[in-house]
Amino acid sequence: MDNGIYITLSRQLALFRDMDVTANNIANANTTGYSSEHLLFTSYLKKDINQRVTNPMAFAHDISTYRNTNTGSMKATGNALDLAIDGDAYFSVETPLGTRYTRAGNFQVDPDGTLMTAEGYPVLDNAGQRITFPEDTLDIQIGSAGNISVNGAEFAVLGVLEFENPQLLERLSGTLYKSEVLPQPTETARVLQGTLENSNVQPMREMTHMMDVSRSVGSTAKLIETIYDLERKAASVWAKQG
């Protein structure tokens, strides 16, 4: 097979991956606390072992994704259990597989009085324990440091944590992450009560990028078809000469 096809296919595969990432961003444009992802491209050189003297071939490679960690816009809800983080930090939550982290603060209370995420995971305090409100809870106030007051009395402090390198967090679902590195209590981020952080996806920019990628996919597909046509014609000429 012609080397040009291999090179073009490497570009095509990278474009398909880019399209998947972009489509996921668009699908989560309205997901609370969602951080958009983007693809990192590079190229690598490879020598053609079938040729004695040749220039290295440059292949496309999608090496990784990175997250846009900019804070999304804030939306006031007035709900006491809706929380947002102003700053680069995360809430800690309990899952069957261990502690995980999220910026989605659309919390709720289950029948036992435990503070839960929208997905049903218990929210943890700064000691790694569940936050369970007493039956006589009438008023919940949450300060900027994550300090929770119940009926006017100090009750608990939310686990609001930050990471030295947030890009090392591994996304498990839309807004849930895990980390192999232990986080530290935040010193700069603030908790906002009665507020939710919107997704930081910019839909128009993502749609425009999707159209650009689609055009590139079409162009590379046509190039592959052209290369195949040239190979068929060359084979036909050689057959006639033979």
Side-chain angles (χ1 to χ4, degrees):
M1 185 180 292
D2 187 277
N3 289 334
I5 292 181
Y6 289 120
I7 295 171
T8 307
L9 283 174
S10 72
R11 170 63 173 165
Q12 190 83 315
L13 291 173
L15 288 170
F16 285 146
R17 172 67 174 146
D18 194 9
M19 188 175 291
D20 288 341
V21 171
T22 305
N24 190 57
N25 287 338
I26 295 172
N28 286 281
N30 294 316
T31 300
T32 299
Y34 180 84
S35 298
S36 62
E37 283 188 327
H38 305 280
L39 208 60
L40 284 175
F41 287 101
T42 188
S43 61
Y44 65 95
L45 300 178
K46 185 175 179 62
K47 183 178 180 181
D48 185 355
I49 61 175
N50 296 318
Q51 300 291 333
R52 292 183 178 179
V53 179
T54 183
N55 293 323
M57 298 179 295
F59 288 85
H61 179 43
D62 50 320
I63 56 173
S64 180
T65 59
Y66 69 94
R67 286 189 301 114
N68 174 9
T69 57
N70 292 333
T71 302
S73 62
M74 299 296 178
K75 177 177 66 176
T77 66
N79 187 336
L81 298 181
D82 283 344
L83 305 177
I85 297 177
D86 181 16
D88 197 3
Y90 299 79
F91 299 109
S92 58
V93 301
E94 178 186 314
T95 76
L97 298 178
T99 303
R100 299 295 185 255
Y101 309 95
T102 184
R103 287 183 63 87
N106 47 336
F107 299 145
Q108 54 196 9
V109 175
D110 73 359
D112 296 327
T114 302
L115 188 64
M116 312 285 284
T117 67
E119 295 82 12
Y121 299 123
V123 180
L124 301 178
D125 64 14
N126 61 348
Q129 302 298 312
R130 296 185 179 187
I131 300 171
T132 301
F133 298 107
E135 293 184 1
D136 63 348
T137 298
L138 298 175
D139 178 65
I140 299 173
Q141 296 296 322
I142 302 176
S144 61
N147 50 302
I148 304 173
S149 297
V150 174
N151 299 336
E154 291 294 326
F155 180 73
V157 179
L158 283 165
V160 183
L161 307 170
E162 62 184 21
F163 297 84
E164 183 176 354
N165 185 359
Q167 294 294 341
L168 296 179
L169 287 169
E170 179 183 348
R171 191 194 299 270
L172 300 178
S173 63
T175 60
L176 197 64
Y177 303 90
K178 77 172 184 178
S179 174
E180 301 297 332
V181 180
L182 292 178
Q184 300 296 323
T186 184
E187 297 181 357
T188 57
R190 299 183 305 120
V191 176
L192 307 177
Q193 187 178 23
T195 305
L196 289 177
E197 178 188 357
N198 292 320
S199 168
N200 66 9
V201 172
Q202 298 180 354
M204 291 304 298
R205 178 174 294 180
E206 297 294 334
M207 289 296 296
T208 301
H209 182 64
M210 177 68 84
M211 289 187 288
D212 290 340
V213 173
S214 296
R215 283 194 290 267
S216 296
V217 168
S219 298
T220 53
K222 289 180 180 178
L223 178 57
I224 292 173
E225 184 179 352
T226 299
I227 295 173
Y228 272 125
D229 286 340
L230 291 174
E231 287 188 343
R232 284 193 292 267
K233 290 177 181 178
S236 177
V237 170
W238 278 106
K240 290 178 180 179
Q241 290 180 350

